[in-house]
Amino acid sequence: MTRVLVLNCGSSSVKYRLFDGAGTVAKGLVQRIGEQGGDAADHLAALQRIMAETDLDGLAAVGHRVVHGGPDFGEPTVIDDAVVERIEALVPLAPLHQPAALSGIEVARKLLPSVPQVAVFDTAFHATIPPEGFTWAIDPKLAERWQIRRYGFHGTSHAYVARRTAEILGRPPAEVNVITLHLGNGASACAVQGGRSIATSMGLSPLDGLVMGTRSGAIDPTVIFHLHRVAGLPIDEIETLLTRHAGLLGLTGDNDLRAVESRREAGDAAAILGFDVYIRRIREYVGAYLAVLGRVDAIAFTAGVGENSPEVREATLSGLEPLGIALDPVRNAAAAPIISPDGGRTAVCVVPTDEELEIANQSRAALGLHD
Ligand code: ADP
């Protein structure tokens, strides 16, 4: 078995998981980095702590989750100085996320100089989206100059879930078309054709697409001009508003769907509307991707909401029987792997995602290592 350490560095946290083959031998979370009373003063101290607590004997690779791969990183990539520079050059595309991954890489290379390290990009799975799917209707020279296009995120999750869905159906991934719905705090939809992403709802950043815990999702850009010009808000404030104070939180005051669901059941008007807006947006993307794919073998729900909320799954797909999409209420309540009735045209699946396992597997593959 090959040991792989997976690191997911955020600006104030480091999540880690040590794999031996597909098995987890250690995992944990270092939180509130740099804050008073936090677990560590900086990323260096965080990683030193992880290394002191974890037996890294025989470690064959470190896999880093990197949010933004820009236009060029379409594959997991073995890290060297040149790769670090290229990842650094992408900071302007993901100023909120990329610097943390970079400090994780820098520190891990310093502390584990003899262990090969691999960058696994959230965007990479979407590199197969065709030009008509990633191009926005603006001057191509301007788009090229500023690297403006749809990149998409949650790629490791969509890749993992699409493949697992094919396994659940007992069919080769290359023959299966799936709409994957990753519904967590962040949320995105993806159209996967024969194992390849051909459309996804997040864009240049993770702000586009579905309504999320604290992000607005897709919004007419004029709202931003209007808030700036007419309401007088500075651009940075509008960014914070749309990324951290919008979505379910903005609509209802709660970003956790469990709270929204229980308030909705109690008849709270804001929670009812928030839930309906959240669901309506998912349905619009399902409809769009039915048209993009033509034939859909399965719709797969994943992540915190997708795996745990029968209400969201039911509301998302209700009334679609004429399209060959239906749910079995007993299977849905039990979150069975297949929650549709037998024999339908489109299976509906609940597939627990495992981004860290996917990162470990992709890191091994990039280095030509076996499990
Ligand atoms: P992240 O995107 O941070 O990885 P998760 O995928 O863990 O988040 O999803 C977290 C969200 O899942 C929570 O905010 C909550 O809204 C939702 N969730 C978790 N459990 C349930 C549940 N039983 N019912 C409804 N929603 C749930």
Side-chain angles (χ1 to χ4, degrees):
M1 292 289 184
T2 310
R3 287 195 164 207
V4 180
L5 176 67
V6 172
L7 293 177
N8 183 350
C9 293
S11 54
S12 68
S13 71
V14 177
K15 251 206 251 175
Y16 69 96
R17 195 155 143 205
L18 178 64
F19 288 91
D20 197 1
T24 300
V25 286
K27 65 175 184 176
L29 174 67
V30 181
Q31 292 186 88
R32 301 199 292 129
I33 295 172
E35 291 172 29
Q36 197 141 32
D39 295 341
D42 53 23
H43 284 90
L44 177 63
L47 235 72
Q48 279 168 330
R49 184 181 165 138
I50 291 167
M51 288 173 61
E53 288 171 359
T54 318
D55 175 13
L56 296 180
D57 222 27
L59 187 65
V62 179
H64 293 270
R65 174 183 181 232
V66 182
V67 166
H68 218 303
D72 301 328
F73 287 111
E75 303 277 343
T77 304
V78 179
I79 296 171
D80 58 20
D81 292 342
V83 167
V84 170
E85 265 175 42
R86 287 168 60 204
I87 296 174
E88 261 161 7
L90 298 171
V91 168
L93 283 174
L96 305 179
H97 300 104
Q98 202 81 334
L102 274 163
S103 39
I105 290 170
E106 186 200 329
V107 170
R109 290 181 83 207
K110 197 180 290 170
L111 296 178
L112 299 163
S114 59
V115 182
Q117 319 230 350
V118 180
V120 178
F121 300 94
D122 254 20
T123 49
F125 181 58
H126 304 298
T128 48
I129 295 177
E132 68 272 23
F134 69 69
T135 305
W136 283 305
I138 59 170
D139 176 358
K141 286 197 285 298
L142 195 67
E144 169 90 29
R145 167 72 182 87
W146 299 105
Q147 302 184 302
I148 295 168
R149 50 162 284 180
R150 180 180 304 285
Y151 294 99
F153 299 85
H154 287 145
T156 48
S157 179
H158 289 297
Y160 177 85
V161 169
R163 205 176 49 248
R164 280 287 304 135
T165 303
E167 281 169 23
I168 290 166
L169 301 183
R171 296 174 57 186
E175 289 175 12
V176 177
N177 293 348
V178 193
I179 297 173
T180 48
L181 299 171
H182 178 113
L183 309 176
N185 268 321
S188 65
C190 184
V192 184
Q193 184 176 56
R196 295 154 64 87
S197 170
I198 62 164
T200 195
S201 59
M202 284 177 167
L204 178 81
S205 82
L207 181 56
D208 199 7
L210 302 180
V211 174
M212 314 184 207
T214 66
R215 296 185 199 129
S216 61
I219 196 164
D220 179 345
T222 303
V223 173
I224 296 164
F225 315 143
H226 189 78
L227 284 173
H228 183 60
R229 240 187 254 130
V230 182
L233 295 186
I235 286 294
D236 287 353
E237 235 171 84
I238 300 172
E239 182 171 33
T240 305
L241 183 82
L242 295 181
T243 54
R244 295 177 48 197
H245 303 297
L248 287 173
L249 179 68
L251 284 170
T252 72
D254 271 307
N255 67 308
D256 191 314
L257 192 83
R258 281 165 292 200
V260 176
E261 282 180 347
S262 60
R263 283 173 50 198
R264 169 177 175 257
E265 274 151 37
D268 179 305
I272 292 170
L273 178 63
F275 185 86
D276 289 349
V277 171
Y278 178 86
I279 295 294
R280 168 63 179 253
R281 186 69 56 81
I282 305 172
R283 289 174 69 96
E284 288 175 352
Y285 276 91
V286 169
Y289 293 170
L290 286 167
V292 165
L293 285 165
R295 191 199 81 228
V296 176
D297 302 296
I299 298 172
F301 288 89
T302 194
V305 174
E307 293 166 29
N308 295 303
S309 175
E311 291 82 3
V312 165
R313 296 191 296 261
E314 152 70 24
T316 298
L317 299 180
S318 67
L320 299 185
E321 292 80 6
L323 300 175
I325 299 166
L327 290 191
D328 175 307
V330 176
R331 291 178 182 178
N332 184 34
I338 298 179
I339 58 172
S340 46
D342 295 336
R345 199 186 313 153
T346 300
V348 183
C349 300
V350 178
V351 182
T353 193
D354 195 339
E355 292 171 87
E356 283 105 11
L357 175 60
E358 181 70 16
I359 291 170
N361 288 337
Q362 291 195 13
S363 301
R364 271 191 282 251
L367 292 163
L369 300 169
H370 294 290
D371 287 358

